[in-house]
């Protein structure tokens, strides 16, 4: 986004009146011609247009690294009755997306809280907010046609958030928007960093948000890891990567999503803007050997999201619970949901692979 401005030649010798007129015209230029995030923050945008996908940065998740504050301002966390459950993503001023499998314990929106503007969950800043949920829209065909099919849920907040450099939405792709497969994407979350049962624990709440750089993986190649029969199950749903999913992996460091990362973002840059192409959905257990991470494909659900956002009525602000600014959190944070394939599942794949 290039800033607009007058040419230097021809202004100096034309007097103060011309200069004043030019400065006045510059003040009237539309916000989308400005080049800095603070100008966008001062506007009273009702939605994410012109603001989404911007961050002060250009381009522990298992094997990941600390993320700097403000780097991923759309990162949200989902709490169920005060206990950490999943990741989530801000997609508009009053809309948040997450994985449908995070809501199997309750479909009551009053039970959920969304935290925004955090880097360390125990260390809120002046920008941190706890928002309440007015409406839940879980995909009606979740987990029906195949394993974790249609793994997406929309949450409408009671109150819209005010955007600032710590709280910004990710851009939503259209059904035709495709990331460049040669460009790296990023995942982030507060999930487990150790999967072994005797050491399994969530990222301590005083530790920063974790991030990892990943590469997109073709669905056919991803299915080489996951689509095979499990002789120990009678579940008729096939396991594999289908058109409502997208796959990614870290070839260099072996980073992946893990328990507690579900619903968090997979973002990829398109022409300098970050788009939300995936929501963390499932993977193998996050210890070596690391399989690819599988995400809900947001391009596939673009029309579904657009429809529900347009059809939803505006929440009644008079009935909304009070919004809490930079709330303190319980020191005990446990992921309620998991979508991890077992090590036995992976072992079966390795046996079948070696038999080819």
């Amino acid at each position: 986004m290039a800033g607009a401005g007058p040419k230097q030649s021809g202004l100096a010798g034309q007097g103060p009146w011309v200069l004043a007129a030019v400065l006045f015209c510059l003040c009237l230029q539309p916000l989308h011609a400005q080049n800095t995030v603070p100008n966008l923050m001062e506007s009273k945008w009702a939605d994410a247009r012109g603001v989404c996908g911007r961050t002060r940065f250009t381009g522990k998740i298992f094997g990941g690294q600390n993320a700097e504050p403000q780097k991923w301002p759309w990162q949200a966390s989902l709490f169920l009755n005060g206990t950490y459950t999943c990741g989530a993503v801000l997609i508009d001023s009053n809309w948040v997306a997450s994985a449908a499998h995070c809501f199997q314990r309750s479909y009551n929106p009053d039970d959920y809280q969304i935290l925004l503007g955090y880097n360390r969950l125990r260390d809120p800043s002046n920008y941190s907010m706890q928002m309440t949920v007015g409406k839940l829209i879980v995909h009606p065909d979740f987990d029906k046609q195949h394993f974790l099919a249609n793994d997406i849920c929309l949450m409408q907040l009671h109150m819209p958030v005010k955007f600032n450099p710590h709280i910004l939405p990710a851009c939503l792709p259209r059904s035709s928007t495709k990331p460049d497969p040669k460009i790296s994407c990023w995942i982030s979350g507060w999930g487990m960093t150790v999967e072994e049962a005797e050491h399994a624990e969530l990222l301590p709440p005083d530790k920063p948000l974790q991030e990892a750089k990943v590469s997109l993986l073709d669905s056919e190649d991803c299915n080489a890891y996951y689509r095979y029969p499990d002789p120990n199950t009678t579940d008729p749903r096939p396991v594999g990567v289908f058109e409502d999913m997208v796959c990614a992996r870290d070839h260099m460091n072996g980073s992946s999503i893990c328990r507690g990362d579900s619903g968090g973002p997979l973002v990829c840059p398109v022409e300098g803007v970050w788009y939300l192409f995936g929501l963390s959905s499932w993977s193998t257990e996050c210890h070596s050997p690391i399989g690819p991470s599988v995400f809900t494909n947001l391009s596939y659900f673009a029309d579904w999201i657009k429809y529900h956002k347009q059809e939803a009525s505006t929440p009644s602000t008079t009935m909304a619970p009070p919004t809490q600014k930079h709330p303190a959190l319980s020191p005990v944070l446990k992921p309620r949901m998991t979508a991890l394939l077992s090590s036995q599942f992976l072992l079966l794949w390795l046996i079948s692979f070696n038999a080819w």
Side-chain angles (χ1 to χ4, degrees):
M1 187 186 297
K7 296 182 180 179
Q8 295 299 314
S9 61
L11 282 179
Q14 303 210 12
W17 292 106
V18 175
L19 181 60
V22 171
L23 292 174
F24 178 74
C25 291
L26 285 176
C27 292
L28 296 180
Q29 293 211 28
L31 286 170
H32 65 261
Q34 312 269 337
N35 195 34
T36 59
V37 170
N39 284 342
L40 289 171
M41 296 309 100
E42 292 167 5
S43 67
K44 296 181 179 179
W45 287 81
D47 56 26
R49 291 174 297 174
V51 181
C52 71
R54 271 72 175 181
T55 173
R56 291 182 56 187
F57 295 80
T58 56
K60 182 167 182 182
I61 296 290
F62 177 79
Q65 62 193 30
N66 294 345
E68 295 296 325
Q70 303 181 44
K71 190 169 185 180
W72 310 119
W74 39 81
Q75 176 77 51
S77 54
L78 175 69
F79 278 66
L80 171 61
N81 295 322
T83 299
Y84 180 87
T85 300
C86 280
V89 188
L90 184 69
I91 59 173
D92 210 329
S93 59
N94 63 335
W95 287 94
V96 175
S98 189
H101 74 261
C102 295
F103 297 87
Q104 296 181 67
R105 288 180 177 267
S106 173
Y107 289 117
N108 182 0
D110 294 339
D111 292 338
Y112 293 96
Q113 305 85 39
I114 297 292
L115 270 63
L116 298 165
Y118 280 81
N119 183 256
R120 290 176 168 86
L121 290 177
R122 192 186 281 175
D123 187 17
S125 71
N126 290 334
Y127 297 94
S128 302
M129 302 290 292
Q130 178 176 307
M131 311 299 294
T132 56
V133 178
K135 185 175 185 179
L136 281 181
I137 306 174
V138 178
H139 199 288
D141 294 325
F142 165 64
D143 204 30
K144 289 184 179 179
Q145 297 96 332
H146 51 263
F147 176 68
L148 287 184
N150 305 297
D151 192 14
I152 185 171
C153 174
L154 296 178
M155 289 168 281
Q156 186 181 32
L157 304 178
H158 277 116
M159 302 284 290
V161 297
K162 293 182 179 180
F163 298 143
N164 61 67
H166 295 258
I167 302 176
L168 286 172
C171 290
L172 287 176
R174 298 178 180 177
S175 56
S176 59
T177 308
K178 305 298 180 186
D180 185 343
K182 299 186 292 294
I183 293 180
S184 295
C185 301
W186 287 81
I187 56 177
S188 54
W190 285 284
M192 289 181 176
T193 58
V194 178
E195 176 62 28
E196 286 78 5
E198 64 271 22
H199 301 295
E201 61 180 10
L202 261 184
L203 186 72
D206 57 345
K207 297 296 183 181
L209 177 71
Q210 298 292 286
E211 63 177 21
K213 184 165 61 173
V214 295
S215 299
L216 298 178
L217 189 64
D218 182 84
S219 294
E220 184 176 345
D221 294 335
C222 197
N223 268 323
Y225 289 86
Y226 291 128
R227 182 173 287 176
Y228 60 90
D230 183 351
N232 297 319
T233 182
T234 58
D235 192 336
R237 299 169 303 165
V239 173
V241 180
F242 298 85
E243 60 180 350
D244 61 328
M245 302 174 179
V246 64
C247 226
R249 70 177 309 179
D250 176 4
H251 295 277
M252 297 295 294
N253 302 310
S255 302
S256 74
I257 60 175
C258 197
R259 247 179 260 269
D261 290 321
S262 292
L266 167 73
V267 292
C268 308
V270 177
E271 298 180 352
V273 177
W274 292 98
Y275 279 80
L276 180 67
F277 283 100
L279 299 170
S280 297
S281 183
W282 58 277
S283 70
T284 57
E285 291 179 345
C286 42
H287 52 65
S288 297
I290 297 295
S293 299
V294 183
F295 304 82
T296 305
N297 184 352
L298 269 290
S299 294
Y300 180 86
F301 292 102
D303 293 336
W304 183 83
I305 295 172
K306 181 179 179 180
Y307 169 79
H308 283 289
K309 287 178 64 178
Q310 290 177 341
E311 292 296 311
S313 58
T314 303
S316 173
T317 57
T318 59
M319 301 297 292
T323 298
Q324 295 187 37
K325 193 170 183 179
H326 45 80
L329 297 178
S330 166
V332 179
L333 304 174
K334 296 181 179 179
R336 291 287 187 173
M337 302 307 304
T338 176
L340 299 173
L341 297 181
S342 67
S343 55
Q344 290 85 357
F345 193 93
L346 180 60
L347 178 61
L348 287 171
W349 169 77
L350 291 172
I351 293 173
S352 62
F353 180 82
N354 291 330
W356 292 349

